Amino acid sequence: MDALAQRFSSASHDLDVKVVEHRGRTVIAKRSFSSGDVILQEYAMAALADSERHDICSLCYSQQKSFLCGSCKCLRYCSKDCQRKDWKIHRRECGSHELANMSLKTRQTVMLLYRVLRAVEADNSLFLLLKGLVGHESDMSTDRISQLDSIATSMLAFMNERDIRMFDDLDSGEGKELVISLLARLESNSFTMWDSQLFPIGAGLFLFGSLLNHSCTPNALLSFRGRQVIIRCLEPITEGEEICHSYTDPAMPTPERRLYLRNQYLFECDCRRCKQLLPSFVHDYPLHNGQDVQRCVETVERHRRGDSKEEDPSVVMAELQRCVTLQGKVLHRLHTDLLRTTQTLLDLCLEIQDWTQASLYCASIIDTYQAVYSSRHPLIGIYYFTLAKCQWNGNRSNDALETLRMSLEILRLTHGADDPLVLEVVSLMKQAETECTKH
């Protein structure tokens, strides 16, 4: 057993790591878990906030009003105290001409790897654990290796510019190979971090969490509190069972999901769900009205980009309703394009406060998600909460109360009882209960 697996097994009383043929390292439950139980909690070895989120602090990851670093305009902080604490790392990045000239994606990768190296510098034992992660370099295409080589060149240029000397051989060919190897491990093992509403807030490397394998029908689910990942039991797990989460959205069309896993993680998923090509996951449009339906997709994307902000909402609504009617005639009811149009209509209804129509579109989205996700998936709980707010604003207190109960049942399990979103659900539920007792 490698150093990372040994460290993991010794650190957890409830979990073990075993090597299984064709699956590699697997995380096994040493006891049973019930839905909602916390399986694992871990702070990121390194993390980087999403620079496009204007409400995320780059140090504590709290969601509140933030301000930009006055010099580089790259990172945001919620307070001067957080900015001061982060300065010992950020001072090497701040004002870097090399970073400023990189593409956004390359810059974010370089900054995340820099934070990984700073963690190793603070604790040398982490380097052996980092090397224990699977990088899949031998399985990568020539183009993929070339991309990593280009990022490694940018990384070395940044480190040389800032006189960062973490390894003696960093300027040699061996040094570049090492950086490419670390980039491969970072790419294959880092997590996208998200908030309570499942919107991305950044990326992080979690050494223990990265040991969990993928499943398109997962029994575990990730959530994040700042720089901490919390892995909860989604479906009941028995002693000796492997614990898996999904590396991608299980509701993606099967061909698209398998292609993503193949390209990003370099393995072929042959699970039961991947072998069942459901009608809702067929992307090709029927020949009948195919061009009209394709124009609907273009119309929806135009509205989602915000190109129609200056248009009369009633005109936009009528156009989108024509699209959803046409798509509903020729596409399967679970087709992703039909879902996207419905989501766009819901967003517009919420914007113009048409609570009756918003409730209808929200209920339609919930029906779709219930067909493609586990019944306990957090998105279903989130949309139940959205539906409840529509019902509440539409003076349907009794309906809102019942919907809030369904939302709370899911979100307590997936987010935890003390999550801010769950507390918001509980608060509205109390208001609804008070209102219902008056009638």
Side-chain angles (χ1 to χ4, degrees), residues 180-275:
I180 291 174
S181 174
L182 294 176
L183 284 169
R185 282 158 175 74
L186 190 63
E187 192 175 79
S188 296
N189 294 280
S190 59
F191 291 167
T192 297
M193 301 158 62
W194 52 79
D195 61 18
S196 296
Q197 300 273 7
L198 306 188
F199 293 117
I201 60 171
L205 181 63
F206 300 85
L207 292 176
F208 290 166
S210 67
L211 291 174
L212 269 68
N213 283 328
H214 163 81
S215 173
C216 294
T217 52
N219 55 17
L221 182 77
L222 309 185
S223 63
F224 297 88
R225 295 282 182 88
R227 295 166 57 92
Q228 184 184 45
V229 64
I230 303 173
I231 302 177
R232 287 187 171 85
C233 176
L234 185 61
E235 303 293 342
I237 296 172
T238 59
E239 182 179 349
E241 186 178 350
E242 182 181 5
I243 297 171
C244 299
H245 72 99
S246 181
Y247 291 3
T248 186
D249 184 351
M252 288 172 63
T254 300
E256 188 177 318
R257 191 174 68 247
R258 297 189 74 189
L259 179 63
Y260 173 80
L261 293 170
R262 186 185 310 125
N263 290 340
Q264 181 65 29
Y265 298 102
L266 303 170
F267 70 85
E268 294 285 345
C269 187
D270 59 355
C271 70
R272 175 175 52 82
R273 181 163 187 161
C274 281
K275 290 177 179 177

Side-chain angles (χ1 to χ4, degrees), residues 22-222:
H22 303 307
R23 288 190 66 80
R25 290 179 300 202
T26 59
V27 176
I28 305 298
K30 293 168 67 174
R31 68 170 179 86
S32 60
F33 290 92
S34 299
S35 297
D37 286 352
V38 174
I39 298 172
L40 176 68
Q41 298 182 78
E42 179 187 9
Y43 282 96
M45 176 184 177
L48 181 69
D50 186 341
S51 61
E52 297 185 348
R53 284 289 297 264
H54 295 173
D55 60 341
I56 299 296
C57 176
S58 296
L59 182 71
C60 70
Y61 286 79
S62 62
Q63 283 184 256
Q64 54 184 295
K65 186 177 180 180
S66 61
F67 60 89
L68 282 168
C69 169
S71 178
C72 67
K73 312 294 184 185
C74 286
L75 300 185
R76 289 181 170 271
Y77 300 97
C78 66
S79 67
K80 290 293 183 182
D81 186 50
C82 278
Q83 186 179 27
R84 186 181 67 255
K85 290 177 180 177
D86 196 42
W87 181 243
K88 64 180 180 180
I89 292 180
H90 183 50
R91 68 185 179 87
R92 294 293 185 91
E93 303 164 332
C94 195
S96 166
H97 295 296
E98 292 292 344
L99 284 177
N101 291 327
M102 295 176 194
S103 67
L104 177 61
K105 184 177 181 180
T106 298
R107 180 166 66 247
Q108 290 176 334
T109 303
V110 167
M111 291 175 70
L112 182 56
L113 180 56
Y114 167 59
R115 282 161 169 68
V116 169
L117 295 178
R118 286 300 301 262
V120 169
E121 188 178 43
D123 182 355
N124 290 332
S125 69
L126 292 175
F127 186 69
L128 189 59
L129 304 184
L130 184 62
K131 292 287 285 183
L133 296 176
V134 177
H136 296 291
E137 298 101 311
S138 61
D139 299 322
M140 288 184 177
S141 66
T142 303
D143 287 345
R144 185 89 168 261
I145 291 293
S146 178
Q147 291 171 1
L148 293 183
D149 185 276
S150 176
I151 298 173
T153 298
S154 298
M155 180 74 192
L156 292 173
F158 160 66
M159 295 182 74
N160 284 325
E161 176 199 24
R162 295 314 222 178
D163 196 29
I164 301 170
R165 303 293 172 185
M166 294 182 177
F167 304 106
D168 294 336
D169 58 354
L170 206 54
D171 290 323
S172 67
E174 291 183 1
K176 189 171 188 180
E177 289 181 7
L178 174 60
V179 173
I180 291 174
S181 174
L182 294 176
L183 284 169
R185 282 158 175 74
L186 190 63
E187 192 175 79
S188 296
N189 294 280
S190 59
F191 291 167
T192 297
M193 301 158 62
W194 52 79
D195 61 18
S196 296
Q197 300 273 7
L198 306 188
F199 293 117
I201 60 171
L205 181 63
F206 300 85
L207 292 176
F208 290 166
S210 67
L211 291 174
L212 269 68
N213 283 328
H214 163 81
S215 173
C216 294
T217 52
N219 55 17
L221 182 77
L222 309 185

Side-chain angles (χ1 to χ4, degrees), residues 194-199 221 234 249-252 339 343 346 362 365-370 372-387 406-407 410-411 414-415 421:
W194 52 79
D195 61 18
S196 296
Q197 300 273 7
L198 306 188
F199 293 117
L221 182 77
L234 185 61
D249 184 351
M252 288 172 63
L339 172 63
Q343 289 172 327
L346 171 61
C362 196
I365 292 170
I366 291 171
D367 287 343
T368 300
Y369 282 153
Q370 286 177 326
V372 297
Y373 284 125
S374 158
S375 61
R376 298 182 176 94
H377 195 279
L379 263 179
I380 299 176
I382 290 170
Y383 272 96
Y384 269 135
F385 185 36
T386 302
L387 174 58
M406 292 187 287
S407 174
I410 296 172
L411 294 179
T414 60
H415 287 57
L421 180 62

